[in-house]
Amino acid sequence: FDRFFQKIYDNHDYWASFHTGLALDRVLDAGTHLVAPIRVTARAKSSEATINVENLWLFEIADGNFVRAQIYADTAAARNIAG
């Protein structure tokens, strides 16, 4: 998960810092899918405001690999601080 989310931080100019947290005991194994609540703490470059939200990620698994990911995110919270 860390390498996946590092790409989000590395490829955008919006965030001065971007950290994710995953509580493994809260991940749900649904056979071909994993449901993972992931906490994001980030600080915007433009406003220096900090966001702390929990997003839900739905990962589809095939042959032991992630083949699809879908996020259910609080996009309004990020929009309001990113500038």
Side-chain angles (χ1 to χ4, degrees):
F1 286 107
D2 290 338
R3 287 194 329 247
F4 176 82
F5 287 105
Q6 187 62 40
K7 290 179 183 180
I8 294 171
Y9 175 66
D10 289 345
N11 292 334
H12 288 86
D13 294 326
Y14 304 116
W15 308 110
S17 65
F18 190 97
H19 303 282
T20 58
L22 170 66
L24 291 176
D25 61 332
R26 294 185 61 209
V27 174
L28 302 175
D29 183 348
T32 59
H33 291 78
L34 291 177
V35 180
I38 298 175
R39 177 149 309 277
V40 174
T41 304
R43 187 169 41 87
K45 284 184 179 179
S46 61
S47 67
E48 296 291 317
T50 298
I51 184 172
N52 186 1
V53 296
E54 186 170 82
N55 299 322
L56 181 74
W57 284 77
L58 178 65
F59 295 97
E60 184 177 348
I61 310 294
D63 298 321
N65 296 305
F66 294 135
V67 294
R68 185 170 177 259
Q70 185 166 348
I71 185 174
Y72 296 89
D74 185 353
T75 55
R79 180 196 66 227
N80 291 340
I81 70 144

